Amino acid sequence: MLRASVLERFAIAVASTLLALLLGSGVVAAAGYDPVVFLSSLFYGAFGSVSNVAFTLRQSTMLILAGVAVAIAFRSGVFNIGVQGQFVVGGFATALTVLFLAPMLPSGTAAGFALVVFGTVAAIVAGGAYAALPGLMKAYADANEVITTIMLNFIATGVVFFFLDSYLRPQGAAAPNTEPFPAYVGFPSLVFDSGSFSVLGLAVALLTVVVVAVVMARTRLGYDLVTSGYQEPAAAYSGVDPKRTVVTTMTFSGMVAGLTGAIFTIMILGYYSDPATFPTFGFDAIAVSLLAANNPLGVVPAGILFGGLDAGGQYIGFTLDVPAELVDGVVGLVVLFVATPELFRMAARRTGLGGRYRESGEGQTGGETGADGEER
């Protein structure tokens, strides 16, 4: 795995973002639109007002949580492409729990807090259990986890929609939505006057980042996960069960993905709906994790960057007469440039401006490596 210092990675992210925006401006101008208005609207949509900042932080909260879920698996040498499906299953478990238990409890703040806790725990359990399936198939049936997790994304969306549409849609409702949660179930609006964002949701995301970072770097479990992922023979020699570790990795990743679904359902929706219409946080989180070099702490700035791009892109779509495809193309260009820092590291090495990188010890990615491990 490529490694870079925090300063190097930050400089690469800023440079690649500016270059992508410059190139995107050229595309916008070539299409007959004003690139200055386009870029100013992109920035204003992300940070230009209090409500826009709240929306950016809302999107960032989801991307940080989903990005951490992806990073856990990638850092342990397993590819969990099924975060979107685990996110869907987790959110559905939250909705079922809240709607089932709400009539049994008295209304009020205490009951609302209890329902949020029960719903969140249900999402974590459901997300972990759903992610354990591809882990078991990989460990004991040698199934490719990329294929199984991708297929489980589709299965989750289809099965959840079936139960939602068949058993949970209120009588006479036109849309496949559940009953709304009671008004006392949700996060209070703090700092921002927003109905779909609370700093408590962001606090949960940041706390999750810290917990995952500590587990991965400071505990025996994290050491076993990372060692088994990159040096399986050495891990087995030291007494680590590689198969059990794969299942544990996927379960741990899925638990965070399930938590993402709980925050989405409680903080943003306040009910449950057709999962096919949900934002693709689970897929976008792959780029977030890659930009962060699969470091749980690095997911925070990466998630804020991607959240800002998402918010700015949506603002342009609502306010400017610019085709949505053009907006998506420019934003996608930024994502592509930012998520491929190795291109810029290679260019820096070629031009003599730096770009030195080290290897993790599992193999080389280019050039000759000296005895000290540095590329020549």
Side-chain angles (χ1 to χ4, degrees), residues 129-172:
Y130 198 65
L133 294 176
L136 289 168
M137 287 188 281
K138 175 179 175 60
Y140 298 101
D142 200 23
N144 188 306
E145 78 273 23
V146 175
I147 297 175
T148 55
T149 51
I150 289 176
M151 295 311 297
L152 284 170
N153 285 334
F154 295 106
I155 293 173
T157 301
V159 172
V160 167
F161 175 78
F162 169 76
F163 285 108
L164 176 68
D165 191 47
S166 302
Y167 303 106
L168 297 174
R169 183 203 287 235
Q171 189 121 23

Side-chain angles (χ1 to χ4, degrees), residues 1 6-7 51 77 88 98-99 113 127 158 174 189 222 227 234 238 243 257 337 350:
M1 175 185 291
V6 174
L7 186 59
S51 61
V88 168
V98 171
L99 294 174
F113 176 78
S189 295
T227 304
S238 62
K243 294 182 178 179
F337 274 51
R350 294 291 184 186

